Each structure stands twice: as C-alpha cells, then as structure tokens.
Amino acid sequence: MSSKTAELDQIAKLLDRAHPPVVVVVGAGVAVNATGKRHASWLGLLKHGVQHLVATNRFTATYASELETSLNAAFSPFQLGSALNHADTVERVLRTPNDGAFADWLETAFADFKCRPDDASTAQLDALRDLHEAGALLLTTNYDGLLHNATGAPVVTWEEHADFHRVMTRQKPGILHIHGHWLRPSSVVLGRSSYGRVVADTDFQQLLQTLWLENSWVYVGCGDGLDDPNLGRLLRWSKAWDKSAFPHFFFAREDKAKEINNRASKPSNLVAVGYSSHDQLAPALRSVCPAPRSWPFIAIDDDFPLFHIPGASDPFPTRQEYLDCAVPGLSADEELQRRLKLHSWASCIDVASVGKTTLALRVASKPEHRKHPAYYLDLKNLSLDDTGADCLAAAHRLTRPETLLILDNIHHKPELARRLWQQWRSTPSDSRGHLLLLGTQIHQPIVVKPDDDLAFFENHPTNPPVRLLITPETLGELAEHLHSRVAGTTRLKMPKPPPAVLQEWHSNYRAALNAFTFAVLDSLSDFQNGKWSLPPSRASAWVRKQWLERLDAYELANTLCLATFGAQELEMQVPNEALPHPGKLHKLFELGLVSQTHRGQFKQYKSFELREPGWGRLILAAQMSICDEDRILFDAATRHLMTACMLSLHFFHDGDEDRQRRLWEYVGSKANDVIEQMHGFPVSYLDSLMRGAAAAGQTGFLDQIWTAIVTEPSVFAAGARAAPVAWVAAFFVVAKQQQRETVLLWDALVGKREDPDQSEKVGKFVAWTRASALDSVGSFLAV
C-alpha cells in the first residue's frame, strides 16, 4: 500500500464512525479554483481593496500601484510579518470613517461571488459537500459563502461562541468561519489588528483548542495556512500534545507537500498528502467518503439504474421527472412522509408489482430528501448464502444525518432486513437519517422464528406498514402521464377517461401497476380516438416476462389452476391436494404471487390462492393458448372432493345450474379414482356430495359413495361427532330422501341396546349434543 493510499485509508476509517472526528479546514485555494476570481485569495482580496480605495477616491492611482508592488513582494516569497503589515494598512483605511464603508467594500467583493458553471470548478466543493454529509465538520478561513451554498448549512463565525460550540459538538449544522464572513463585517479578520482580536479572544481560542484535540484536521486548499497567525499559533500550542493527538493531514501539490513534511517546525502528528494536479484533489477527497464505498448499496443519482434513460424502451420515469414531481403520486406518499418524519423509518409492504419502488423513488426525490444522499439496496439480488456482512458494514458507513437508506424486496431476506433495521436503530437518533423498507406480502413456505419473519414489520405495533391503496383516479393520472411522455408537446392532450372506464381498469389492474403501464403504452393511439378498452391481454408481454417465464412446468400448471379460481372470482382457496402438482409452489412464493393458509389442529392442511384475484385474468390472458377454465376447475374438483363440494355450492348460489350439473357429471366420470378419497371424508360435506351427484343423475357414483360410507360405520360415527349437529342432520335428510338405509350408521353413532359398549356410545352422543344449540339437536332428533 502506498503512503498516500494508507493516509486516505486512515481518513476513510475515521469517517466510518457514527460521529466522525474529522474537521476539514478549507482555505482560499478552494475558492480560487471554484470561482476563478483573483480576489478569492488573501493577496488578491487586498489588491481588490486597494482598487476599491482608488475607485472611491481614497487612494491615488500612483500610491495604489506602489502599494500593490509592495504587496507582491510581501507574498513572493511569503513573509508573514510584512504581509500582515500591508494588510493592516489596507484594512485600516477601508474601515475609515466607519465599519459601514468596510461593509460596502465587502459587498462589492462578495455579493456576486459565485462558482463557475463547469464541473471542474465545482468538483472540489461537491467533494467537500460529500465530506460534510458524511459527518465531517467544515471549518474555513475564507470570507465567502461558497460552502454554505454547497451544503445548505448556516454560517457561524468565531464571534458567535455559543453557536460555534453547538456546531463543533454536532448539536446543530453549520460552517465554521474562523476568519469571519463578509455579511458580518465585524467578524472579518484581514490584517494584524483584526488577527490580534481573534487571538486575544480566550474563549474562542479554548473552543479552537478543544476542537483540535478531539478531531483529525484535514487541510484543503490552505496554501501557506500553516503560517496563518491564528492557525500557526494553534499548531505551536499543539506540539505539547503531539504524542496523544489525532493524526492531521495537509493536502497540497506534491512539491509543497514534500516541503511541509521536511519542515523542522511541523507537528509530528501532521502528514502532508501530495497530489500532482488540482483535478486530482476532488477524487481523493471523495474517495474517503462513505459514498464511494457504498456497495452493495447504490447511490440514487443520475446513474441510478432504475431511472429511465431517454431513448430506451422501458416506460419508467427519468430522474428529472421525479425531481419535477411529474410522476403521479398516491395518498400513500403523504402518509409515508409523515411516518418518516415521526419515526425516522417507515415500511411499505403490499402485493407484488403495485409500484412500491416507484413510491420510494418519489420519496427520495422530495425536496426534503433530494439535497441529501440516498442509497438503495435490493435484497432480491443477494445470493442465498450471502450472510449480509457487506450490507451491514456499508449501512453502518452510510447511516448519517439526513441520509435516506432504501431496502427493497425485504421479503427475500427478512432476517437480514431485521438486522439492518436493528443496526440502524442502535445508531444515535441525531446521526442516523432515515430508513425506508419495501416488501411484497408473501407467505413463508417454511415456518420461521418471529424475529426472522417479515411479520415483525407487518405487525409492528407503533409503525405498521403503509399500503398503496391504488384508486381508479390514480390509473387515469398514470395513463395521462405516460401519454404526455410519449406524445410530448407536439400532439393533442389525451382526453379524460370516463369514470366507468376507470372503474373497469381498476378492476383489472389495481394490483398490477407495472402490467397496467405496459398495457397503456400499447393503447395510447386508441385513447386519442376515444377507444378506452384495455383488456388484460394488452399486458401479456409483461406478465409472461415477469411471472410466467420464471416458472417451471409444474409451477406453471399450479399457477394456471390458481389463476382460474381467481379469474372466476370464486373467493375460495385451493387445497394443496387439489393442485395439479401439490407442493410445487416455491417460485410462486418468491414472486409474491400466492398466499397460504394452514388449517387443522396441527396446521397440517394447506390451501392457496393468488394474492390478488385480479391477477388471474392477467395470467390467463397471457397464455399463448386458450385455457379451458371449466376443465381446470373440474380437474381440481376430481383431485379433491371437498373442492368439488365447495365449487358446487358456489355454482348453486350463482344460479348456474348448468355448470353445477356439468361439474358432477365430470366428477362422476372419474368415479373410480375419486371414490378413494371417501375414507375419512368430512361428514359436513356428505350432504353436498350426495345432492350434487344426484342432481347430475350420477346413480352409479351415488351407489359407490354410499357403499364407502356404510362400509366403515365407526369411521362415520367418529367423523359425525366431530361435525356440527346440524350438518349431520342434513346428511340424514339427504339419505332419507334418497331412500338409503341408515340403521348401521345410527347404531354406530348411539349403539344398540344389546351392545356391550352401548352406554359409552350414548355418553359420547350426549356429550356431542350438549355442546350444540338446542334447535339443532331438535332438528337432528326429528330426522
């Protein structure tokens, strides 16, 4: 490792701390480089003062020329005593007859003191802003407001002892001006007499000494700063602390750095860091900031990959559109901002592909955040065996006041998201900025500890997740936004979609904004002509790419089954056994497409459904071949007889007798396979099963069902006592209507008089009926 690299690494490690003990001393060289103005330097400012005195008839041109020649001699080579004497002469005349004249001169010098517009001129100031954002204090000997303009932090001069102390102890932001600021003429230190005032201010000198003892100082653009009367006196005092002091660093051109390192009077804890040209200084300063070491976080800047690049085919917004607030917002935007302001962190956990990442980028582009660093981490991109150590280390470096960290797809690594949240929470509240977590509602196929589950965020007692709550009006605004982007200013404005159209769009796309975006882009010319139809097939390309092409054949078959139930709006879950390939759902969980419910005493029975029923229509429409939806439903019914009963009940309530009949005809045609499911079949479903088969004229199937029931009377009795009395009564009603002999079943339920275990059976029967409503028991006994 080279000496320069080692020194930069030292500074970087200091900046990695929660409260970095770093003070960056900014000298006139930065102002000269940024503005190109000669009076940005001490010598140039004194000459500017001389010319001002000529312009105001205070000096003759001849005297001014002689004074400038003398000034040049004092500064080349630099002679501190002579320079101070000349500066005192100029300052004394400028302050005559009063400080009002001095203020007038400062205004002529600095009122229009601005950076040149090119990147090379602002590079050093941008790097200093980054250091400030990283937690370093900025202290300057300059009188201008360039650092205030670059950072937004207020100016604090050496005269304001209380505020100076608050800034140096990180109680408030500020730029420390130890030689004053032009808008406060009394604070400006220019010549020997004013230098004497600041050196004689013992309270301020104590503050400066404390600041020196508790921090590493990094000198930037200071030139002959070590010879400054104020800083030079501080450095001479500091020699007594050389062995216990923090390391200090002086950035200078290589020849100057070599000369400083060779000075006998140099403090032993001061190291000069050389660079060959001015354009190397800004990269060196930036390299020690946390931002260049943000990986695996990505800075949300002009190069952020999720911003649209003009000319590309994706429909996503450009960064400028976000900054211009041109991306349609939601009511969730305001709520998320409120949570961030109240708690400093917030989460948005909702269904997949509904615009959570876009919402986060809108937040990052809000005026209150855009001036500060924002970083993004997609946990989906981490490998399965990634321990998250790099993420935690980077988050530690980046957690700073006003910084926004965005964690996306936390459902892929909920345990890491929790650790990142805990690390962020452990940082002092005045140092940690903001944290935003985004996740898709999914069901973990494997039961995990509550601490590791997404449920920690989903059920947070004081700061629960924000939901997006897409409205029909939101879709209309998004369509208009996309139209304006594509059409530009050369075409007519898109007509307003009628309310009925918005409702139809909302029904199909409220839970799939990305799919809606692609569907709209395929339909803009139709909208211009008042054709508003936006069928789910318009989003097929997106659905295939983002969902279906990621599934294997087994998962795809299961997806089509669940999509059919969703598209039919049956509002029922599909048992695992009813799927074409039970248990083949891993990728569906990962994509957030399905939810899972556990049933049974030991949670041993699993049922599934699409997270959003509306996705069913999108998925079916994206199929390359037309799906026979009834065949998919009926096949699920034959795989799981309870599903057949529930489907039959849905068709009955919908008044769809034809489908109900065809369902049982199909199930009856598979009787030999289906009847195997009768062992232990729930008594609660028996009446529905028998009614359906009878209504479809499936006599043979009915006989097989009855045979399976009466072959194991004891199994029936155990199942009956586990079911509500009313359902068992309903079964006996159907059996009576179909003229079935039920004596064996009754005997198994209550026993025969001569049975040795008759009293035991009666006892169970009585206990069962006592736990039921009296009218249900009456109905049962009437049967």
Side-chain angles (χ1 to χ4, degrees), residues 23 37 46 98 133 141 152 170 195 210 218 307 450 460 496-497 532 554 556 574 622 650 680 709 730 759 779:
V23 173
K37 295 182 181 294
L46 291 174
N98 52 51
E133 294 281 7
T141 56
R170 271 79 173 183
Y195 265 107
T210 301
V218 179
F307 289 139
H460 197 277
K496 285 276 186 186
W532 300 108
Y554 301 127
L556 180 59
V574 183
H650 275 285
I709 294 171
S759 61
S779 299

mmCIF file of all heavy atoms in Angstrom, residues 23 37 46 98 133 141 152 170 195 210 218 307 450 460 496-497 532 554 556 574 622 650 680 709 730 759 779:
data_model
loop_
_atom_site.group_PDB
_atom_site.id
_atom_site.type_symbol
_atom_site.label_atom_id
_atom_site.label_comp_id
_atom_site.label_asym_id
_atom_site.label_seq_id
_atom_site.Cartn_x
_atom_site.Cartn_y
_atom_site.Cartn_z
ATOM 1 N N VAL A 23 -12.305 17.294 11.109
ATOM 2 C CA VAL A 23 -12.544 18.699 10.753
ATOM 3 C C VAL A 23 -11.791 18.982 9.460
ATOM 4 O O VAL A 23 -10.583 18.750 9.384
ATOM 5 C CB VAL A 23 -12.047 19.651 11.866
ATOM 6 C CG1 VAL A 23 -12.143 21.106 11.392
ATOM 7 C CG2 VAL A 23 -12.845 19.445 13.135
ATOM 8 N N LYS A 37 -11.746 33.816 -9.562
ATOM 9 C CA LYS A 37 -11.583 35.247 -9.246
ATOM 10 C C LYS A 37 -10.286 35.456 -8.448
ATOM 11 O O LYS A 37 -10.008 34.707 -7.506
ATOM 12 C CB LYS A 37 -12.780 35.756 -8.435
ATOM 13 C CG LYS A 37 -14.098 35.711 -9.215
ATOM 14 C CD LYS A 37 -15.222 36.276 -8.378
ATOM 15 C CE LYS A 37 -16.552 36.210 -9.131
ATOM 16 N NZ LYS A 37 -16.583 37.081 -10.300
ATOM 17 N N LEU A 46 -6.665 41.767 -0.956
ATOM 18 C CA LEU A 46 -6.029 43.029 -0.564
ATOM 19 C C LEU A 46 -5.882 43.957 -1.766
ATOM 20 O O LEU A 46 -6.111 45.176 -1.670
ATOM 21 C CB LEU A 46 -4.664 42.747 0.064
ATOM 22 C CG LEU A 46 -4.694 42.040 1.445
ATOM 23 C CD1 LEU A 46 -3.288 41.672 1.890
ATOM 24 C CD2 LEU A 46 -5.371 42.936 2.479
ATOM 25 N N ASN A 98 -15.879 54.517 9.071
ATOM 26 C CA ASN A 98 -16.555 53.595 9.993
ATOM 27 C C ASN A 98 -16.680 52.235 9.313
ATOM 28 O O ASN A 98 -16.291 52.053 8.157
ATOM 29 C CB ASN A 98 -17.932 54.140 10.397
ATOM 30 C CG ASN A 98 -18.759 54.516 9.170
ATOM 31 O OD1 ASN A 98 -18.903 53.717 8.242
ATOM 32 N ND2 ASN A 98 -19.288 55.750 9.155
ATOM 33 N N GLU A 133 -21.684 15.805 4.396
ATOM 34 C CA GLU A 133 -22.782 14.842 4.521
ATOM 35 C C GLU A 133 -22.322 13.591 5.271
ATOM 36 O O GLU A 133 -23.124 12.934 5.947
ATOM 37 C CB GLU A 133 -23.310 14.448 3.139
ATOM 38 C CG GLU A 133 -23.986 15.568 2.365
ATOM 39 C CD GLU A 133 -25.410 15.826 2.831
ATOM 40 O OE1 GLU A 133 -25.820 15.226 3.833
ATOM 41 O OE2 GLU A 133 -26.119 16.617 2.190
ATOM 42 N N THR A 141 -11.165 29.421 6.490
ATOM 43 C CA THR A 141 -10.547 30.732 6.702
ATOM 44 C C THR A 141 -11.065 31.737 5.673
ATOM 45 O O THR A 141 -10.631 32.891 5.670
ATOM 46 C CB THR A 141 -9.011 30.606 6.570
ATOM 47 O OG1 THR A 141 -8.699 30.048 5.290
ATOM 48 C CG2 THR A 141 -8.442 29.730 7.667
ATOM 49 N N GLY A 152 -25.850 24.026 2.230
ATOM 50 C CA GLY A 152 -27.089 24.490 2.850
ATOM 51 C C GLY A 152 -26.957 24.748 4.339
ATOM 52 O O GLY A 152 -27.899 25.197 4.986
ATOM 53 N N ARG A 170 -21.780 18.947 17.297
ATOM 54 C CA ARG A 170 -22.799 18.307 16.442
ATOM 55 C C ARG A 170 -24.213 18.497 16.973
ATOM 56 O O ARG A 170 -25.102 17.699 16.704
ATOM 57 C CB ARG A 170 -22.532 16.813 16.287
ATOM 58 C CG ARG A 170 -21.637 16.421 15.131
ATOM 59 C CD ARG A 170 -20.191 16.629 15.418
ATOM 60 N NE ARG A 170 -19.344 16.077 14.348
ATOM 61 C CZ ARG A 170 -18.030 16.072 14.374
ATOM 62 N NH1 ARG A 170 -17.396 16.588 15.416
ATOM 63 N NH2 ARG A 170 -17.328 15.574 13.379
ATOM 64 N N TYR A 195 -6.406 40.262 13.363
ATOM 65 C CA TYR A 195 -5.850 38.981 13.791
ATOM 66 C C TYR A 195 -5.597 39.014 15.299
ATOM 67 O O TYR A 195 -5.809 38.030 16.018
ATOM 68 C CB TYR A 195 -4.544 38.686 13.061
ATOM 69 C CG TYR A 195 -4.708 37.820 11.839
ATOM 70 C CD1 TYR A 195 -4.592 38.352 10.555
ATOM 71 C CD2 TYR A 195 -4.968 36.453 11.971
ATOM 72 C CE1 TYR A 195 -4.742 37.563 9.434
ATOM 73 C CE2 TYR A 195 -5.116 35.649 10.856
ATOM 74 C CZ TYR A 195 -4.999 36.209 9.579
ATOM 75 O OH TYR A 195 -5.149 35.426 8.489
ATOM 76 N N THR A 210 -9.944 22.850 21.876
ATOM 77 C CA THR A 210 -10.742 21.641 22.126
ATOM 78 C C THR A 210 -11.063 20.938 20.816
ATOM 79 O O THR A 210 -10.986 19.707 20.710
ATOM 80 C CB THR A 210 -12.046 22.002 22.858
ATOM 81 O OG1 THR A 210 -11.732 22.649 24.088
ATOM 82 C CG2 THR A 210 -12.885 20.759 23.130
ATOM 83 N N VAL A 218 -8.111 17.994 8.518
ATOM 84 C CA VAL A 218 -7.721 17.750 7.130
ATOM 85 C C VAL A 218 -7.706 19.106 6.427
ATOM 86 O O VAL A 218 -8.752 19.728 6.252
ATOM 87 C CB VAL A 218 -8.706 16.781 6.438
ATOM 88 C CG1 VAL A 218 -8.292 16.567 4.984
ATOM 89 C CG2 VAL A 218 -8.776 15.450 7.181
ATOM 90 N N PHE A 307 -33.726 4.505 -13.088
ATOM 91 C CA PHE A 307 -34.247 5.684 -13.770
ATOM 92 C C PHE A 307 -34.252 5.435 -15.281
ATOM 93 O O PHE A 307 -33.319 4.825 -15.813
ATOM 94 C CB PHE A 307 -33.404 6.927 -13.471
ATOM 95 C CG PHE A 307 -33.543 7.449 -12.065
ATOM 96 C CD1 PHE A 307 -32.447 7.906 -11.365
ATOM 97 C CD2 PHE A 307 -34.777 7.476 -11.451
ATOM 98 C CE1 PHE A 307 -32.568 8.387 -10.065
ATOM 99 C CE2 PHE A 307 -34.931 7.956 -10.157
ATOM 100 C CZ PHE A 307 -33.819 8.405 -9.473
ATOM 101 N N PRO A 450 -40.368 -15.805 14.722
ATOM 102 C CA PRO A 450 -41.000 -14.494 14.530
ATOM 103 C C PRO A 450 -40.002 -13.376 14.314
ATOM 104 O O PRO A 450 -40.239 -12.460 13.542
ATOM 105 C CB PRO A 450 -41.804 -14.303 15.836
ATOM 106 C CG PRO A 450 -42.050 -15.691 16.325
ATOM 107 C CD PRO A 450 -40.844 -16.491 15.912
ATOM 108 N N HIS A 460 -45.904 -4.487 13.196
ATOM 109 C CA HIS A 460 -45.239 -3.582 14.132
ATOM 110 C C HIS A 460 -46.291 -2.755 14.875
ATOM 111 O O HIS A 460 -47.174 -2.150 14.251
ATOM 112 C CB HIS A 460 -44.276 -2.655 13.393
ATOM 113 C CG HIS A 460 -43.289 -1.995 14.300
ATOM 114 N ND1 HIS A 460 -43.591 -0.859 15.021
ATOM 115 C CD2 HIS A 460 -42.012 -2.322 14.644
ATOM 116 C CE1 HIS A 460 -42.532 -0.497 15.738
ATOM 117 N NE2 HIS A 460 -41.570 -1.364 15.534
ATOM 118 N N LYS A 496 -59.881 12.871 -21.216
ATOM 119 C CA LYS A 496 -60.078 12.305 -19.885
ATOM 120 C C LYS A 496 -60.857 11.000 -19.994
ATOM 121 O O LYS A 496 -61.925 10.955 -20.594
ATOM 122 C CB LYS A 496 -60.867 13.276 -19.006
ATOM 123 C CG LYS A 496 -60.073 14.468 -18.521
ATOM 124 C CD LYS A 496 -59.293 14.098 -17.274
ATOM 125 C CE LYS A 496 -58.599 15.334 -16.695
ATOM 126 N NZ LYS A 496 -57.731 14.961 -15.564
ATOM 127 N N PRO A 497 -60.357 9.903 -19.418
ATOM 128 C CA PRO A 497 -61.115 8.655 -19.438
ATOM 129 C C PRO A 497 -62.395 8.802 -18.618
ATOM 130 O O PRO A 497 -62.378 9.377 -17.530
ATOM 131 C CB PRO A 497 -60.166 7.647 -18.787
ATOM 132 C CG PRO A 497 -58.817 8.286 -18.823
ATOM 133 C CD PRO A 497 -59.049 9.752 -18.773
ATOM 134 N N TRP A 532 -61.315 3.192 -25.262
ATOM 135 C CA TRP A 532 -60.762 3.024 -23.932
ATOM 136 C C TRP A 532 -60.561 1.561 -23.509
ATOM 137 O O TRP A 532 -60.086 1.310 -22.408
ATOM 138 C CB TRP A 532 -61.661 3.712 -22.903
ATOM 139 C CG TRP A 532 -61.813 5.179 -23.146
ATOM 140 C CD1 TRP A 532 -62.917 5.822 -23.607
ATOM 141 C CD2 TRP A 532 -60.811 6.175 -22.972
ATOM 142 N NE1 TRP A 532 -62.680 7.171 -23.713
ATOM 143 C CE2 TRP A 532 -61.386 7.420 -23.332
ATOM 144 C CE3 TRP A 532 -59.483 6.152 -22.543
ATOM 145 C CZ2 TRP A 532 -60.698 8.609 -23.274
ATOM 146 C CZ3 TRP A 532 -58.794 7.338 -22.478
ATOM 147 C CH2 TRP A 532 -59.382 8.559 -22.847
ATOM 148 N N TYR A 554 -44.262 -27.522 -13.700
ATOM 149 C CA TYR A 554 -45.130 -27.860 -12.572
ATOM 150 C C TYR A 554 -45.698 -26.591 -11.926
ATOM 151 O O TYR A 554 -46.892 -26.496 -11.622
ATOM 152 C CB TYR A 554 -44.357 -28.665 -11.528
ATOM 153 C CG TYR A 554 -43.786 -29.957 -12.055
ATOM 154 C CD1 TYR A 554 -42.435 -30.254 -11.909
ATOM 155 C CD2 TYR A 554 -44.589 -30.895 -12.713
ATOM 156 C CE1 TYR A 554 -41.897 -31.440 -12.389
ATOM 157 C CE2 TYR A 554 -44.068 -32.086 -13.195
ATOM 158 C CZ TYR A 554 -42.717 -32.345 -13.037
ATOM 159 O OH TYR A 554 -42.201 -33.515 -13.512
ATOM 160 N N LEU A 556 -45.997 -23.695 -13.310
ATOM 161 C CA LEU A 556 -46.895 -23.030 -14.255
ATOM 162 C C LEU A 556 -48.277 -23.659 -14.213
ATOM 163 O O LEU A 556 -49.295 -22.953 -14.218
ATOM 164 C CB LEU A 556 -46.316 -23.111 -15.665
ATOM 165 C CG LEU A 556 -47.162 -22.449 -16.772
ATOM 166 C CD1 LEU A 556 -47.375 -20.968 -16.468
ATOM 167 C CD2 LEU A 556 -46.491 -22.607 -18.127
ATOM 168 N N VAL A 574 -57.607 -22.842 -2.664
ATOM 169 C CA VAL A 574 -57.440 -24.137 -3.316
ATOM 170 C C VAL A 574 -56.559 -25.015 -2.422
ATOM 171 O O VAL A 574 -55.406 -24.675 -2.166
ATOM 172 C CB VAL A 574 -56.792 -23.982 -4.701
ATOM 173 C CG1 VAL A 574 -56.692 -25.349 -5.384
ATOM 174 C CG2 VAL A 574 -57.598 -23.015 -5.567
ATOM 175 N N ALA A 622 -52.404 -14.019 -20.631
ATOM 176 C CA ALA A 622 -51.029 -14.050 -21.139
ATOM 177 C C ALA A 622 -50.640 -15.409 -21.690
ATOM 178 O O ALA A 622 -49.543 -15.566 -22.232
ATOM 179 C CB ALA A 622 -50.065 -13.656 -20.015
ATOM 180 N N HIS A 650 -70.807 -22.827 -4.789
ATOM 181 C CA HIS A 650 -70.658 -21.534 -5.472
ATOM 182 C C HIS A 650 -71.576 -21.463 -6.680
ATOM 183 O O HIS A 650 -72.261 -20.453 -6.903
ATOM 184 C CB HIS A 650 -69.204 -21.325 -5.889
ATOM 185 C CG HIS A 650 -68.333 -20.748 -4.821
ATOM 186 N ND1 HIS A 650 -68.381 -19.426 -4.448
ATOM 187 C CD2 HIS A 650 -67.395 -21.316 -4.015
ATOM 188 C CE1 HIS A 650 -67.509 -19.198 -3.488
ATOM 189 N NE2 HIS A 650 -66.899 -20.340 -3.204
ATOM 190 N N GLY A 680 -62.583 -41.348 5.519
ATOM 191 C CA GLY A 680 -62.418 -40.204 6.403
ATOM 192 C C GLY A 680 -62.945 -38.906 5.832
ATOM 193 O O GLY A 680 -62.617 -37.826 6.339
ATOM 194 N N ILE A 709 -69.473 -45.123 2.549
ATOM 195 C CA ILE A 709 -69.875 -44.588 3.855
ATOM 196 C C ILE A 709 -70.244 -45.723 4.817
ATOM 197 O O ILE A 709 -69.772 -45.775 5.957
ATOM 198 C CB ILE A 709 -71.064 -43.613 3.695
ATOM 199 C CG1 ILE A 709 -70.636 -42.361 2.896
ATOM 200 C CG2 ILE A 709 -71.603 -43.201 5.061
ATOM 201 C CD1 ILE A 709 -71.779 -41.453 2.513
ATOM 202 N N ALA A 730 -78.433 -32.727 8.271
ATOM 203 C CA ALA A 730 -78.626 -32.506 6.835
ATOM 204 C C ALA A 730 -78.247 -33.753 6.039
ATOM 205 O O ALA A 730 -78.908 -34.092 5.043
ATOM 206 C CB ALA A 730 -77.789 -31.314 6.382
ATOM 207 N N SER A 759 -73.492 -48.004 26.375
ATOM 208 C CA SER A 759 -73.515 -46.854 27.287
ATOM 209 C C SER A 759 -72.405 -45.860 26.967
ATOM 210 O O SER A 759 -72.582 -44.642 27.093
ATOM 211 C CB SER A 759 -73.393 -47.333 28.732
ATOM 212 O OG SER A 759 -72.157 -48.018 28.916
ATOM 213 N N SER A 779 -83.702 -30.608 15.545
ATOM 214 C CA SER A 779 -83.799 -30.952 14.121
ATOM 215 C C SER A 779 -83.199 -32.322 13.864
ATOM 216 O O SER A 779 -83.737 -33.130 13.100
ATOM 217 C CB SER A 779 -83.073 -29.902 13.279
ATOM 218 O OG SER A 779 -83.654 -28.636 13.440
#
